[in-house]
Amino acid sequence: MASDSQARRTAKKRKQRKEKDPEGRMSLGEHLTELRNRLVICAVAILIFAIVGWFLFPAVFEALQRPFRVAALGGREADLNFQGVATGLNVRLQMSAYLGLLLSAPIIMLQAWLFVMPGLHKNERKYAIGFFGAAIPLFFLGCAAGYWAVNQLVPVLLSFTPDTEGVQQLIKYDEYLALLVKTMLAFGIAFVMPVVLVLLNFLGILRGKSMLKAWRWVIFLCFAFTAVMVPTPEPFTLIGMSAAISSLFFAAVFISIYNDKKRDKKAGLEAQDLDPDQASRIDHVVEPIDAPSRIDEPENR
């Protein structure tokens, strides 16, 4: 209800601003007010989903113990340690906050788009539906891939513990939770980056052929990222995950090149394969201008 009333007030203010300024320009104070309103909506969304995360804690806690059970099956015992009397409460609050941030990610991205949207042209605003329609599922898919990566990562890391009598593996749960969240966010952002590239292309900032020139570096970075995040001993997981992330990049390049050709054809360019770094052809025909034939000739008679 609070977000709906806030949205109505924002729409009313935007309507009043358009009546004052037909082009919808905003002053610095209005920009700061708009930013404050967007941040308030994001904070309220995070708080609401954090409350939901508080009640989801038992199920999530059970799911996060899975990699340690897998390690135990391989002969690597590890105990999750809750140090201190209030550590259990602190961990539950942290997990609730992380769940609130994760579940409210679509609302945060939507508010970021609504903040920059007034500065865009009408033909650029139509990309919002396609952007969020692809970015939000890919973000959650990346988070799921990050959770899967942690399940592969924990047993490998525990295997480096010396298998000696008297050595016991004690893991602080808050540190493990921070590792899990960072990994999930890293994969979520990695899966959304191709959508950002497509958006930059549709806004006319980046061309598809410019993206394609960096394909070697992209593949190298994908393999390096996967090797660090998912250090499995067998190569199939590394190749499969790297190929999945790389395929998203090449899909973004294909969409961008196709969009560039459509844009160039619409603009009336003769050569569709024109290099984007090549300078345009200059017309050498001099056009006459209105000017006096003599310096001392008066401009207006």
Side-chain angles (χ1 to χ4, degrees):
M1 294 296 293
S3 60
D4 292 340
S5 60
Q6 182 69 30
R8 285 196 296 268
R9 286 196 296 267
T10 303
K12 184 177 179 181
K13 290 179 180 178
R14 186 178 291 112
K15 183 178 180 181
Q16 293 175 353
R17 184 173 63 249
K18 287 184 178 179
E19 291 177 356
K20 296 178 182 178
D21 189 348
E23 297 182 2
R25 289 187 293 249
M26 300 171 60
S27 64
L28 177 60
E30 290 174 333
H31 274 294
L32 294 177
T33 303
E34 184 77 6
L35 178 61
R36 182 200 62 189
N37 295 336
R38 299 298 174 192
L39 292 177
V40 168
I41 294 175
C42 294
V44 171
I46 293 174
L47 179 61
I48 293 175
F49 282 107
I51 296 174
V52 175
W54 175 273
F55 295 100
L56 293 177
F57 175 79
V60 176
F61 182 81
E62 185 69 19
L64 297 187
Q65 287 183 302
R66 183 176 178 275
F68 295 96
R69 296 194 184 97
V70 175
L73 293 176
R76 296 291 178 178
E77 294 288 344
D79 296 326
L80 294 173
N81 190 13
F82 284 75
Q83 294 181 349
V85 178
T87 304
L89 176 61
N90 186 33
V91 167
R92 186 159 186 168
L93 289 174
Q94 287 184 6
M95 188 176 295
S96 300
Y98 288 142
L99 288 173
L101 183 63
L102 179 65
L103 296 176
S104 62
I107 298 178
I108 295 175
M109 289 189 288
L110 176 62
Q111 295 303 315
W113 175 261
L114 291 176
F115 178 73
V116 301
M117 187 179 64
L120 302 177
H121 298 288
K122 289 183 179 180
N123 60 336
E124 297 171 342
R125 298 178 185 178
K126 63 182 180 181
Y127 304 141
I129 298 177
F131 175 75
F132 287 103
I136 294 175
L138 284 176
F139 176 77
F140 284 108
L141 181 63
C143 291
Y147 171 73
W148 175 83
V150 170
N151 283 281
Q152 306 297 320
L153 176 65
V154 169
V156 173
L157 294 179
L158 293 178
S159 65
F160 290 97
T161 303
D163 190 9
T164 308
E165 185 178 355
V167 175
Q168 187 178 5
Q169 183 83 9
L170 298 177
I171 301 173
K172 293 183 179 180
Y173 195 85
D174 52 353
E175 294 182 357
Y176 165 64
L177 185 61
L179 172 66
L180 175 68
V181 171
K182 290 178 182 177
T183 306
M184 292 178 65
L185 287 178
F187 273 90
I189 295 173
F191 274 60
V192 172
M193 283 306 297
V195 185
V196 176
L197 293 177
V198 173
L199 179 63
L200 293 176
N201 175 262
F202 273 65
L203 294 178
I205 300 175
L206 187 62
R207 291 182 65 90
K209 289 185 178 180
S210 300
M211 302 180 201
L212 188 59
K213 290 180 180 179
W215 69 270
R216 295 180 180 85
W217 283 103
V218 171
I219 293 179
F220 171 76
L221 291 175
C222 288
F223 272 88
F225 175 79
T226 308
V228 172
M229 292 296 181
V230 195
T232 54
E234 42 86 20
F236 300 104
T237 302
L238 173 64
I239 296 175
M241 184 63 69
S242 301
I245 301 177
S246 301
S247 62
L248 292 175
F249 167 76
F250 284 107
V253 171
F254 174 79
I255 295 173
S256 300
I257 292 178
Y258 178 74
N259 181 61
D260 289 338
K261 289 184 177 180
K262 286 182 60 179
R263 184 188 295 135
D264 294 344
K265 186 177 181 180
K266 187 176 181 180
L269 294 179
E270 297 178 358
Q272 295 183 357
D273 298 330
L274 184 64
D275 189 354
D277 297 329
Q278 181 179 345
S280 301
R281 187 170 59 249
I282 299 176
D283 190 2
H284 297 284
V285 179
V286 180
E287 297 181 359
I289 59 174
D290 295 332
S293 58
R294 295 173 50 187
I295 298 180
D296 56 349
E297 183 179 348
E299 204 172 306
N300 296 321
R301 295 183 178 179

